[in-house]
Amino acid sequence: MNCKLLAFGALAAAGMLLAAQSAAPPLPGTWHAQETFSRRGHTTTLHLEYVFQLDGTHLSGVAASDRGRSGAIRGSLRGSQLNLQIYNPFSPYAAAQAAQGTLTRNQLTLTLGSRYGAPARTVVFTKVSDDTSYHLPVSLRHPPLPVFHPLPPNRLALTPPMGWNSWNHFASKVDDQKIRQTADLLVSTGMAAAGYVYVNIDDTWEGTRDAQGNIRSNAKFPDMQALAAYVHSRGLKLGIYSSPGPRTCAGYEGSYRHEAQDARTYAAWGIDYLKYDWCSASSVYTPQQMPAVYENMALALRATRRPMVFSLCEYGWDNVGVWGAAAGGNLWRTTDDIADNYPSMTFNGFSQNGRQFSAGPGHWNDPDMLEIGNGGMTAGEYRTHLSLWAMLAAPLLAGNDLTAMTPATLAILANKEVIAVDQDPLGQQGWMIAQRGDQEIWMRPLSGGASAVALFNRGTRPATMSVRWSALGLRSPATVRDLWAHRDLDAAQFFSANVPAHGVVMLRVQ
Ligand code: GLA
């Protein structure tokens, strides 16, 4: 039994003693419950700690467990009946959990509503103390974070990172063999030559720590170092995933309190890229600590002297565009998770308008990974996806199953003319310059005085869209190139095209 369980166990025993002494304890104070879960043959015990404050009938407080704080309590106490909402202000899925309870002679019985598909459950609490302030459990207290100070650039990702990531298609069904197969296919399909060089393992590779605290990969990845060598032998780079919290989003071991050690392990394995996903860090840090928490890992990565691209995954919270680069990030997520459908993709993409001021060589806004080829959108919608990401100077991380890639998908993903816009060395993210109803025109200045112009029709009917170069501040361009038709066009002053529903016409004008 580790010390946190002991600490909670002692609290629980004290609680029973207290409960026995006083018949009907007042609600304000600290309450404890213990739950046992069985999942895939593993049994886990969770110690819950709820701290209540009462003002008249108005309840507030903190819901926590031995994994850290999980939410803020708001609700009411009328007679012996409690009605609560537990808000997780830090959760990417900020849904409140409803709970109803009854305060009886010596216990509090709470029924916690269903959440994320888990059924409702009833939990019995006993009071452990009258303390109404929440303290992070001893076992979860961490050494002080370094004082945040702006870090110089690490000179990586001078253009938006390109590669592939396992999450969008495989989620937890990723393993060593799939990574090797993907590496082979990136090369044989020409994707690598088009720029897709990072092969990134997302969540669910993590195993347990050894006696010295070194992280080990789980049975799906028998030898990370050998895998990295294999990926490198194909001329590619290997990426990995972790969390600053105790647990990753999928519930695997995070890097909490092992940051420097994990960075050294990644370097020893030959890792080239780290995606660092906030998730359970909310249970141990405040949002205000987020920049320092990320910088802590950036410093750990830099201390290894192995170049590793650092990808911040915190869904765009807390103005990450303002501090992400200073915290050592090469890219940072700016949205919730993308899904393989047109509304999700366009929400993530078009909502980036205005974020162009925080992107540039070495530090990019990341509206999440590509869904191209995963089957939920039409070819035209996937062309919009790549075009929009290119206009945004967004990282291009394919997320499809390369073993089943169709020629049509490859033609979209490997469109070198659109990729050249994404990878333009000026690194200036584009923005919307005109909008009428569902029709948007975007522009992105490119190096050498060129511009990319994209005509997006977000409507459900084809539309004729026009643009006059002077209205874009461009003098009559010498050349206009259609980057999907791969044709030079004749458009001295004016360009007009029929744009399909949900489609795009993307041009390079010089
Ligand atoms: C979060 C991230 C995703 C993915 C999963 C893995 O949801 O935003 O991109 O990494 O976690 O659990």
Side-chain angles (χ1 to χ4, degrees), residues 69-73 85-97 115-116 279-280 282-283 317:
R69 175 188 45 219
S70 63
I73 292 173
Q85 295 285 328
I86 302 168
Y87 297 92
N88 185 345
F90 314 107
S91 158
Y93 316 102
Q97 182 175 30
R115 230 169 37 143
Y116 314 141
C279 261
S280 76
S282 292
S283 66
W317 296 346

Side-chain angles (χ1 to χ4, degrees), residues 82 97 217 281 298 303 308 315 340 343 363 375 392 407 411 423 430 457 480 503:
L82 281 83
Q97 182 175 30
S217 47
M308 288 186 254
Y315 338 106
D340 185 18
H363 51 97
L392 293 170
Q423 296 289 300
N457 176 12
V480 178

Side-chain angles (χ1 to χ4, degrees), residues 478-501:
T479 61
V480 178
R481 174 104 179 141
D482 183 324
L483 305 185
W484 285 107
H486 304 295
R487 277 193 288 131
D488 287 330
L489 306 176
D490 179 18
Q493 308 290 329
F494 185 81
F495 173 80
S496 182
N498 197 271
V499 186

Side-chain angles (χ1 to χ4, degrees), residues 164 170 177-187 199 402:
W164 178 92
F170 291 107
Q177 200 227 332
K178 288 198 176 100
I179 295 295
R180 285 171 195 251
Q181 221 169 20
T182 300
D184 291 345
L185 283 161
L186 282 171
V187 175
V199 187
L402 296 190

Side-chain angles (χ1 to χ4, degrees), residues 93 167 202-203 241 249-250 275 277 313 315 333 337 369:
Y93 316 102
W167 187 254
D202 207 281
D203 203 351
Y241 168 100
C249 297
K275 171 174 169 183
D277 196 344
C313 182
Y315 338 106
R333 280 274 298 278
D337 291 11
M369 305 171 292

